Amino acid sequence: MDGITMKIKLAALCLLASSSVFAQENKVIAGVNYATSLSAEATATFENIDDEITEDIDISDLGFYLGYVSNRNNRFLVSYSSASVDFDKSDGEEDITGFDFDWQFVYGKEQVQPYLGLGLGLHTIDEALILNGTDKEGESLSGVSVQLMAGIKLAVNEQIELDVSVKRKAYAWQSVQISAGFFSDTLDTSYVTNSLSFGAGFKF
């Protein structure tokens, strides 16, 4: 709970701090995004034995965001998301929750507006599947993410916009010391996903 509380406080502080950066002409925007992976992979590395395990995964993500539209039509967004991860070989599932902080650089103010973006995130895996069978089974993992995106916004009217984008997102999870019987090692885990995202936003 402490980790979740800290993330909520950090997200609120970042959003409040951003208000001093933008001009008074800026609009607030709120919306929802849904993303589904086109391809994704999980990697687990054992440091002592120098071994690596990879597995294909599927990730679907639902997020809600709040942010600002600058007078140049660029965006700073803070979002909270919940993602479901399905493992192909392990036949298991886990959930990821967290906050993302995204900057979107939008070109033009016509009805169709291409854009590029980048972002950072703070996330938690609830009951990480990789820890099953170890002394850490049932525990969570915290991590950070970096993402790049490219997409198109469609202005329905002055208040409503639709969004389609492709994203590449990399998660790096905390290192953890695990034990299973006589085996002990340090485990590093990462996920990389390429996804297609759909969204809708309302400016006010």
Side-chain angles (χ1 to χ4, degrees), residues 73 75 106-115 151-164 199 201 203:
N73 208 25
R75 321 294 166 89
V106 183
Y107 297 91
K109 297 183 179 180
E110 304 300 325
Q111 185 176 18
V112 178
Q113 305 162 8
Y115 73 92
I152 293 175
K153 297 183 183 294
L154 176 64
V156 178
N157 54 40
E158 290 186 0
Q159 282 75 42
I160 299 174
E161 68 179 25
L162 304 179
D163 185 299
V164 179
K203 303 173 188 176

Side-chain angles (χ1 to χ4, degrees), residues 31-165:
V32 60
N33 274 319
Y34 174 77
T36 182
S37 58
L38 302 173
S39 63
E41 185 178 73
T43 302
T45 304
F46 299 91
E47 293 184 2
N48 294 343
I49 62 175
D50 194 25
D51 192 19
E52 185 176 274
I53 301 173
T54 61
E55 181 172 350
D56 290 335
I57 56 177
D58 295 308
I59 300 181
S60 57
D61 182 298
L62 179 64
F64 300 90
Y65 64 83
L66 180 67
Y68 288 93
V69 182
S70 76
N71 56 1
R72 295 186 178 181
N73 208 25
N74 297 324
R75 321 294 166 89
F76 173 71
L77 307 176
V78 177
S79 61
Y80 175 80
S81 64
S82 178
S84 176
V85 184
D86 294 320
F87 289 77
D88 291 349
K89 294 180 182 178
S90 304
D91 193 27
E93 298 180 1
E94 62 187 19
D95 296 318
I96 299 174
T97 55
F99 289 95
D100 287 290
F101 309 90
D102 296 320
W103 293 262
Q104 297 177 348
F105 304 96
V106 183
Y107 297 91
K109 297 183 179 180
E110 304 300 325
Q111 185 176 18
V112 178
Q113 305 162 8
Y115 73 92
L116 298 173
L118 55 89
L120 302 173
L122 301 171
H123 306 278
T124 300
I125 303 176
D126 184 33
E127 297 184 4
L129 194 66
I130 191 66
L131 300 179
N132 287 356
T134 74
D135 61 329
K136 299 298 192 300
E137 182 171 347
E139 294 189 8
S140 300
L141 288 178
S142 297
V144 298
S145 70
V146 178
Q147 70 172 341
L148 299 174
M149 66 195 78
I152 293 175
K153 297 183 183 294
L154 176 64
V156 178
N157 54 40
E158 290 186 0
Q159 282 75 42
I160 299 174
E161 68 179 25
L162 304 179
D163 185 299
V164 179
S165 65

